[in-house]
């Protein structure tokens, strides 16, 4: 088991610095007046972890498929419950590609990440439904988009 050490920088404030065994650091903080806004909130960091995890999978799979992506962004949004602990009640992940890329290669890469490889997605899917989509903008300006999969507590299904 790998240990993350989280340190409260100032006990009067909410800023936390988390360090992994290799020394990489993540700063999390609350918004004023309780925090300084010096880092992401822990909930935002959770969505960022999902984006990072799936991006690593998708880029690796597309590279193996010899696809050339000019630009790749991932937008992750979560709906929050109004009652505490204000968990996410739904999450949407949209992979945004630019370039001359085969839509089927994108679809399959996103599907594999969502349903097989990304441990962050697998963990979150145990408690919340996650929609996995892609949007492709080709060099000529034409677009392709699709819902790839929906994962959640009841399993996964195609989009």
């Amino acid at each position: 088991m790998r240990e993350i050490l989280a340190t409260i920088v100032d006990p009067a404030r909410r800023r936390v610095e988390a360090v992994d065994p290799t020394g990489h650091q993540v700063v999390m903080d609350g918004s004023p007046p309780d925090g300084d806004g010096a880092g992401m909130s822990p909930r935002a960091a959770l969505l960022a972890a999902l984006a990072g995890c799936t991006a690593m999978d998708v880029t690796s799979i597309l590279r193996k498929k010899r696809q050339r992506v000019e630009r790749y962004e991932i937008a992750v949004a979560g709906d929050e419950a109004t009652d505490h602990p204000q968990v996410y009640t739904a999450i949407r992940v949209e992979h945004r590609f630019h370039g001359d890329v085969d839509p089927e290669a994108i679809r399959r890469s996103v599907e594999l990440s969502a349903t097989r490889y990304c441990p962050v997605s697998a963990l979150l899917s145990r408690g919340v439904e996650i929609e996995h989509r892609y949007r492709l903008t080709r060099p000529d300006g034409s677009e392709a988009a699709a819902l790839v999969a929906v994962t959640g507590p009841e399993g996964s299904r195609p989009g």
Side-chain angles (χ1 to χ4, degrees), residues 1-146:
M1 177 182 286
R2 297 182 349 163
E3 180 178 272
I4 303 294
L5 179 62
T7 304
I8 307 301
V9 176
D10 177 355
R13 306 300 274 176
R14 294 173 60 180
R15 189 167 68 193
V16 175
E17 293 179 355
V19 181
D20 74 4
T22 61
H24 294 100
Q25 182 179 13
V26 173
V27 175
M28 293 174 276
D29 198 357
S31 298
D34 297 322
D36 297 323
M40 282 189 195
S41 73
R43 281 188 288 183
L46 187 63
L47 296 182
L50 175 58
C53 182
T54 192
M56 290 178 190
D57 291 339
V58 170
T59 54
S60 175
I61 295 165
L62 287 174
R63 192 176 319 114
K64 290 174 186 171
K65 292 178 174 285
R66 301 191 195 298
Q67 297 295 304
R68 293 184 180 223
V69 177
E70 291 175 24
R71 193 167 86 227
Y72 177 29
E73 302 166 334
I74 301 171
V76 181
D79 298 334
E80 299 173 0
T82 55
D83 296 330
H84 287 285
Q86 296 178 309
V87 297
Y88 288 115
T89 57
I91 298 173
R92 290 168 306 287
V93 179
E94 183 178 69
H95 300 259
R96 298 173 181 167
F97 296 91
H98 297 263
D100 190 16
V101 187
D102 177 22
E104 177 55 23
I106 291 173
R107 188 203 65 75
R108 184 65 177 147
S109 299
V110 170
E111 177 185 46
L112 285 170
S113 177
T115 62
R116 181 185 249 176
Y117 295 125
C118 177
V120 176
S121 181
L123 180 65
L124 290 173
S125 291
R126 289 181 176 204
V128 65
E129 190 171 272
I130 305 173
E131 279 188 3
H132 306 268
R133 303 176 165 277
Y134 80 84
R135 183 173 35 148
L136 167 64
T137 303
R138 296 182 185 96
D140 66 4
S142 65
E143 291 191 352

